[in-house]
């Protein structure tokens, strides 16, 4: 009975996210309210004979995951907030791009950049930087939404081919389901699907973009802090691979280095406090993450994710894997992947590859289905559940195209 009530509350929470534009209630408020309410009910009416201490342990486990994500996002966003406020990213864009280019050409440049960058950096950092690039260019609202949509899909697609790019890819690798050589097979079909989406979204784009080629000088302090940011990204990946150091720890260390360096570099500027840039972080985004992960966590604890794995008893792995990708648009792909790995499924390497692609890219279909989508929604105010859903047909088609490509590449290369 309690499980049914909690599921109903979770459903209401997701519906309220969808109709945010209609009810004018911020999604961070609704998810935080329902997320905490569900856990309170779990304590008052224990499920499956669980004791209060067992529920506390489950909650603490979920809060630890959330806190790790919060701190990682906060440190990344602080770097980007500083560089954006100083105009560093826009100045770099002006220097790298030609004085004039077509909107379609920019679409493909953004697609390739987001795809490649997300393969080496995490999805959150890749999304923040790519969104900052398009924010530095004057675009119509509709076109800005299209560029943001492409970034979300490209970031998620680029991340699946390397263990440094996506958490779920790393999970499949550590579980011994795929090798690095296997994962490299995902690059071509994933990139092809991104290219097709870029073509579809840019069909009616016939305008040209003129950039201001009289850029302002970039301050030495900003270059050094940007270098610290880049070094932090690289160190995060390297230390995690070599020494299994959690990414959040390395990024917080990089943030500490940035603060100390800025203290010296900006010492002659009165009224400048580098710590003040933390206030520019969108805490409503962090609260939204908190609420969503609390909702997903309670779904995991009441056994919803475990029940989903029963789908493999009725469908062939290729069909079930495809549906898992669609489900990852509603359910966080990390606990979903964990549930699938615990289910002890028997599949070929080619089928595990399709599941890797599905859980990594399927979340792109809905704006709330991936960290990239949630970050983009917080940075591009016109990008809402409704405006993004208008692109769902394109996204579903390209996800399906990429999935089919991964299937055939796997069958050909691994047969």
């Amino acid at each position: 009975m309690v499980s049914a009530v909690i599921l109903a509350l979770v459903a209401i929470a997701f519906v309220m996210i969808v109709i945010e534009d209609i009810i004018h209630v911020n999604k961070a408020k609704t998810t935080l309210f329902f997320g905490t309410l569900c856990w309170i009910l779990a304590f008052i009416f224990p499920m499956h004979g669980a004791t209060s201490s067992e529920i506390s342990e489950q909650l603490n486990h979920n809060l630890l995951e959330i806190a790790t994500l919060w701190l990682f996002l906060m440190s990344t966003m602080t770097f980007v907030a500083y560089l954006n406020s100083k105009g560093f990213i826009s100045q770099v864009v002006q220097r790298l791009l030609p004085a004039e280019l077509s909107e379609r050409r920019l679409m493909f440049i953004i697609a390739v950049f987001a795809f490649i960058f997300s393969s080496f950096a995490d999805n959150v950092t890749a999304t923040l930087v790519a969104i900052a690039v398009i924010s530095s260019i004057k675009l119509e609202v509709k076109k800005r939404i299209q560029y943001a949509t492409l970034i979300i899909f490209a970031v998620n697609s680029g991340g699946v081919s390397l263990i440094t790019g996506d958490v779920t890819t790393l999970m499949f690798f550590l579980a011994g389901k795929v090798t690095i050589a296997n994962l490299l097979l995902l690059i071509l079909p994933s990139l092809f699907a991104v290219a097709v989406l870029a073509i579809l979204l840019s069909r009616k784009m016939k305008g040209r973009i003129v950039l201001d080629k009289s850029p302002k000088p970039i301050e030495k302090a900003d270059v050094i802090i940007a270098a610290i940011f880049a070094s932090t990204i690289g160190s995060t990946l390297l230390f995690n691979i070599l020494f299994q150091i959690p990414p959040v720890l390395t990024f917080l260390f990089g943030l500490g280095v940035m603060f100390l360096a800025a203290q010296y570099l900006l010492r002659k500027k009165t009224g400048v406090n580098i710590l003040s840039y933390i206030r520019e972080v969108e805490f409503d985004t962090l609260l939204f993450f908190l609420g969503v992960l609390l909702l997903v966590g309670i779904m995991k604890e009441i056994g919803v994710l475990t029940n989903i794995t029963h789908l493999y008893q009725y469908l062939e792995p290729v069909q079930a894997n495809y549906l898992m990708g669609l489900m990852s648009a509603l359910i966080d792909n990390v606990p979903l992947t964990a549930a699938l790995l615990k289910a002890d499924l028997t599949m070929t390497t080619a089928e595990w590859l399709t599941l890797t692609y599905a859980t990594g890219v399927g979340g792109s279909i809905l704006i709330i289905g991936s960290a990239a989508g949630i970050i983009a929604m917080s940075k591009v105010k016109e990008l809402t559940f409704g405006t993004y859903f208008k692109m769902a047909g394109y996204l579903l088609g390209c996800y399906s195209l990429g999935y089919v490509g991964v299937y055939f590449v796997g069958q050909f290369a691994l047969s």
Side-chain angles (χ1 to χ4, degrees), residues 122-282:
D122 64 280
N123 288 359
V124 172
T125 305
T127 304
L128 282 169
V129 174
I131 291 293
V133 170
I134 65 167
S135 297
S136 66
I137 301 171
K138 292 182 180 179
L139 296 166
E140 297 174 14
V141 170
K142 181 180 178 181
K143 292 175 181 177
R144 191 181 299 118
I145 292 172
Q146 290 173 317
Y147 281 105
T149 300
L150 179 65
I151 287 171
I152 295 168
F153 189 81
V155 162
N156 288 329
S157 297
V160 299
S161 56
L162 289 177
I163 58 174
T164 54
D166 193 276
V167 175
T168 55
T169 299
L170 180 61
M171 291 170 70
F172 286 121
F173 170 75
L174 293 177
K177 305 302 183 183
V178 292
T179 65
I180 291 178
N182 298 151
L183 291 171
L184 294 177
L185 297 174
L186 297 175
I187 295 176
L188 284 180
S190 299
L191 184 58
F192 180 71
V194 172
V196 171
L197 181 62
I199 292 171
L200 292 173
L201 292 177
S202 64
R203 282 184 308 160
K204 296 182 180 179
M205 289 188 177
K206 302 186 185 299
R208 298 191 67 80
I209 296 171
V210 178
L211 298 177
D212 179 12
K213 296 307 287 186
S214 54
K216 301 175 183 177
I218 297 177
E219 296 182 15
K220 180 181 178 181
D222 298 342
V223 173
I224 293 174
I225 289 178
I228 294 173
F229 184 33
S231 300
T232 300
I233 295 173
S235 301
T236 298
L237 302 176
L238 185 63
F239 290 167
N240 183 255
I241 293 171
L242 296 179
F243 309 109
Q244 289 74 53
I245 297 177
V248 63
L249 184 60
T250 309
F251 235 99
L252 286 173
F253 175 76
L255 188 64
V257 173
M258 171 203 176
F259 287 155
L260 291 174
Q263 178 73 26
Y264 172 76
L265 295 169
L266 306 177
R267 67 191 184 283
K268 296 180 180 179
K269 295 188 176 183
T270 57
V272 177
N273 182 1
I274 191 67
L275 289 173
S276 65
Y277 288 98
I278 294 178
R279 300 190 186 99
E280 297 187 22
V281 172
E282 293 82 0

Side-chain angles (χ1 to χ4, degrees), residues 3 47-48 297-308 310:
S3 298
M47 299 168 290
H48 313 305
I298 197 65
M299 288 173 67
K300 176 185 175 183
E301 301 304 338
I302 64 178
V304 172
L305 299 184
T306 303
N307 292 333
I308 288 175
H310 294 162

Side-chain angles (χ1 to χ4, degrees), residues 1-7 37-52 54-55 58 297-304:
M1 179 63 181
V2 180
S3 298
V5 171
I6 289 176
L7 275 178
L37 175 59
C38 288
W39 277 98
I40 289 172
L41 291 176
F43 274 94
I44 297 175
F45 306 102
M47 299 168 290
H48 313 305
T51 63
S52 295
E54 289 173 336
I55 298 172
Q58 294 168 354
I298 197 65
M299 288 173 67
K300 176 185 175 183
E301 301 304 338
I302 64 178
V304 172

